[in-house]
């Protein structure tokens, strides 16, 4: 995977040096850019209706002025959410923008570390977000029902196949190039280059125009929000999720501001774009427990997204939940133990996806620090029959 990162960074570097959105040595990117340019020219000549993906979403629509991602007031109502993939290995810390996200999704798709997907209410909500990582199908399946705008720099074959199958248009730096992403040159002097690419609101209009896409659209609520939906106990003061040997996310409740602080061990995870208020924190924590196995490449984890058990933490309390989803365009739905749709407290949410495979573990602590009983670990999926190992996917970069 490291070889992929280097290749992607090289593509982005060539793009930046060329001062355009095409890599000189990438015929695929050139063809894509030419196609995108002709689409943009056509849309200028003949105004067309916004092109939005079709979804199967039957979740409720938020009231006017309310965020579909947090259930709070938003000035970006009527815009499509933006979902940015982020590197999360320690070499990429601190990230930009994770302190501003309305919803942060974390999961292990390969190796011993995790990827993040940061969701924002709309293109205008983005400040500086990065370092931008690769696309993974697990994350895409969570946000495609929202008509979200996924942003990443390259992807594995599974993510590429998914968006192609559903004819769903992401903003992938391999094809949009520096139209959608930019390099922080100062950071690149210290960090590996793949950890120095970011996006921001000023880049989104031009990137969307490449594909005749609109930033506007109706977005169904990600959760069913309701004020006062806090579990009435003190058994959810800390949730530690070990995703692999390189990542244990601790969500630790602070009674002063009633937020869960994201930590790695005792180290706070911070936002480089908020030097005066950098610690990342959330009102809610949701854990989805899913049966898992390996995809046919023998490297990437496969998750069963038909449904399973989970946890909902808010206000220091916790309750066991049940969740279901289905195919890529079906929405995520959460239920309480009685089978009713779960009401989630309005606010920013951290959502972890947990497979329970070897090397993963959970620990839940109450207000006194006593360990609490957890739902049973999800059953493993049957092991896929490996296909012949392909060459590593080159790491993409904006061209």
């Amino acid at each position: 995977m490291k070889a992929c990162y280097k290749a992607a960074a090289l593509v982005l570097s060539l793009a930046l040096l060329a001062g355009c959105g095409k890599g000189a040595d990438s015929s695929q990117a050139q063809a894509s850019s030419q196609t995108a340019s002709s689409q943009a020219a056509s849309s200028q000549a003949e105004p067309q209706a916004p092109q939005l993906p079709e979804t199967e979403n039957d979740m409720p629509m938020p009231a006017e002025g309310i965020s579909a991602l947090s259930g709070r007031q938003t000035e970006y109502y009527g815009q499509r959410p933006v979902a940015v993939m982020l590197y999360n290995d320690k070499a990429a810390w601190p990230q930009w923008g994770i302190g501003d996200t309305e919803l942060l999704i974390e999961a292990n798709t390969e190796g011993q570390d995790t990827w993040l997907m940061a969701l924002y209410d709309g293109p205008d909500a983005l400040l500086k977000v990065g370092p931008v990582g690769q696309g993974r199908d697990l994350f895409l399946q969570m946000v495609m029902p929202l008509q979200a705008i996924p942003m990443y720099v390259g992807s594995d074959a599974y993510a590429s196949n998914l968006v192609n199958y559903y004819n769903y248009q992401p903003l992938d730096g391999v094809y949009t190039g520096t139209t959608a992403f930019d390099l922080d040159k100062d950071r690149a002097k210290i960090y590996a280059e793949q950890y120095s690419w970011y996006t921001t609101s000023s880049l989104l209009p031009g990137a969307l125009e490449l594909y005749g896409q609109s930033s506007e659209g109706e977005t169904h609520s990600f959760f069913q929000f309701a004020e006062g939906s806090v579990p009435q106990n003190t058994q959810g003061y800390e949730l530690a999720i070990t995703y692999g040997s390189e990542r244990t996310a601790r969500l630790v409740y602070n009674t002063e501001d009633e937020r869960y602080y994201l930590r790695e061990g005792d180290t706070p995870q911070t936002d480089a774009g908020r030097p005066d208020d950098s610690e990342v924190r959330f009102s809610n924590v949701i854990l989805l427990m899913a049966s898992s196995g390996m995809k046919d490449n023998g490297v990437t984890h496969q998750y069963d997204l038909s449904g399973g058990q989970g946890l909902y933490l808010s206000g220091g309390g916790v309750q066991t939940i049940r969740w279901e989803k289905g195919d890529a365009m079906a929405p995520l739905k959460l239920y309480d133990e009685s089978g009713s749709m779960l009401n989630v407290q309005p606010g920013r949410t951290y959502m972890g996806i947990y497979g329970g495979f070897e090397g993963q573990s959970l620990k839940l602590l109450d207000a006194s620090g006593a360990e609490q009983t957890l739902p049973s670990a999800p059953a493993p999926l049957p092991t896929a029959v490996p296909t012949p190992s392909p060459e590593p996917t080159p790491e993409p970069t904006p061209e």
Side-chain angles (χ1 to χ4, degrees):
M1 201 161 80
K2 296 298 182 185
C4 297
Y5 298 163
K6 292 178 181 177
L10 176 60
V11 175
L12 279 170
S13 297
L14 291 172
L16 187 66
L17 290 171
C20 67
K22 297 183 289 185
D25 298 323
S26 174
S27 60
Q28 183 182 17
Q30 288 175 354
S32 175
S33 179
Q34 290 167 358
T35 301
S37 296
S38 64
Q39 289 175 341
S42 174
S43 65
Q44 290 174 359
E46 300 178 10
Q48 301 174 353
Q51 299 178 22
L52 296 176
E54 296 181 2
T55 72
E56 307 165 5
N57 204 328
D58 58 357
M59 287 290 285
M61 299 295 296
E64 186 169 353
I66 298 298
S67 166
L69 302 177
S70 70
R72 304 183 300 179
Q73 289 284 338
T74 179
E75 59 184 293
Y76 310 109
Y77 182 80
Q79 295 186 21
R80 294 171 61 194
V82 179
V84 186
M85 289 295 301
L86 300 175
Y87 286 107
N88 195 41
D89 44 307
K90 306 305 180 296
W93 286 21
Q95 295 108 328
W96 299 292
I98 60 171
D100 300 315
T101 181
E102 300 297 332
L103 172 64
L104 188 71
I105 304 175
E106 180 168 6
N108 177 326
T109 59
E110 68 273 326
Q112 298 298 319
D113 219 317
T114 62
W115 297 97
L116 300 176
M117 176 178 268
L119 278 83
Y120 304 87
D121 281 332
D124 292 342
L126 273 68
L127 297 176
K128 183 177 185 179
V129 182
V132 181
Q134 293 188 34
R136 292 293 183 265
D137 69 295
L138 174 64
F139 295 88
L140 291 171
Q141 291 185 66
M142 289 293 163
V143 302
M144 286 166 60
L146 297 176
Q147 298 183 334
I149 303 168
M151 299 189 72
Y152 46 81
V153 177
S155 65
D156 63 10
Y158 303 107
S160 178
N161 290 342
L162 178 71
V163 295
N164 288 337
Y165 179 82
Y166 285 97
N167 195 29
Y168 198 106
Q169 184 62 63
L171 298 181
D172 182 346
V174 170
Y175 305 106
T176 65
T178 51
T179 302
F181 303 93
D182 203 355
L183 179 70
D184 187 307
K185 298 182 181 67
D186 289 334
R187 183 176 172 116
K189 295 175 182 177
I190 305 170
Y191 287 71
E193 190 170 298
Q194 72 261 24
Y195 301 140
S196 303
W197 290 92
Y198 68 93
T199 189
T200 189
S201 60
S202 63
L203 297 172
L204 267 291
L208 290 169
E209 186 179 4
L210 287 175
Y211 300 103
Q213 293 280 308
S214 174
S215 63
E216 300 179 351
E218 293 185 340
T219 302
H220 294 258
S221 294
F222 193 79
F223 303 120
Q224 177 170 289
F225 294 102
E227 288 287 353
S229 302
V230 175
Q232 298 301 302
N233 58 62
T234 59
Q235 297 173 335
Y237 265 57
E238 178 178 338
L239 179 64
I241 311 167
T242 297
Y243 289 102
S245 61
E246 298 297 320
R247 174 61 168 173
T248 295
R250 295 177 60 220
L251 285 303
V252 182
Y253 187 64
N254 184 316
T255 56
E256 293 184 4
D257 63 1
E258 300 181 335
R259 299 291 183 270
Y260 288 88
Y261 282 68
L262 180 58
R263 297 176 180 170
E264 172 67 41
D266 292 327
T267 303
Q269 193 149 356
T270 60
D271 186 336
R274 304 177 61 172
D276 298 327
D277 187 23
S278 63
E279 292 192 38
V280 178
R281 53 196 181 271
F282 303 90
S283 297
N284 309 309
V285 176
I286 289 174
L287 179 73
L288 305 183
M289 303 173 71
S291 293
S292 65
M294 300 299 291
K295 293 182 183 286
D296 58 4
N297 66 356
V299 174
T300 306
H301 293 292
Q302 172 73 36
Y303 291 84
D304 178 2
L305 296 184
S306 61
Q309 288 186 294
L311 297 173
Y312 166 53
L313 288 74
S314 188
V318 63
Q319 68 184 90
T320 302
I321 62 173
R322 183 174 63 83
W323 65 275
E324 63 180 35
K325 186 181 185 311
D327 67 32
M329 301 305 287
L332 174 68
K333 294 182 178 180
L334 307 181
Y335 300 92
D336 61 24
E337 293 181 284
S338 72
S340 299
M341 187 74 76
L342 180 73
N343 289 327
V344 174
Q345 180 72 12
R348 300 174 61 243
T349 299
Y350 170 96
M351 188 172 83
I353 303 174
Y354 175 82
F357 46 81
E358 184 177 357
Q360 291 202 327
S361 63
L362 297 172
K363 182 181 287 188
L364 177 67
L365 304 179
D366 68 7
S368 70
E371 193 164 344
Q372 303 299 294
T373 302
L374 289 161
S376 300
L381 292 174
T383 301
V385 177
T387 57
S389 298
E391 291 296 317
T393 304
E395 167 90 9
T397 312
E399 303 184 354

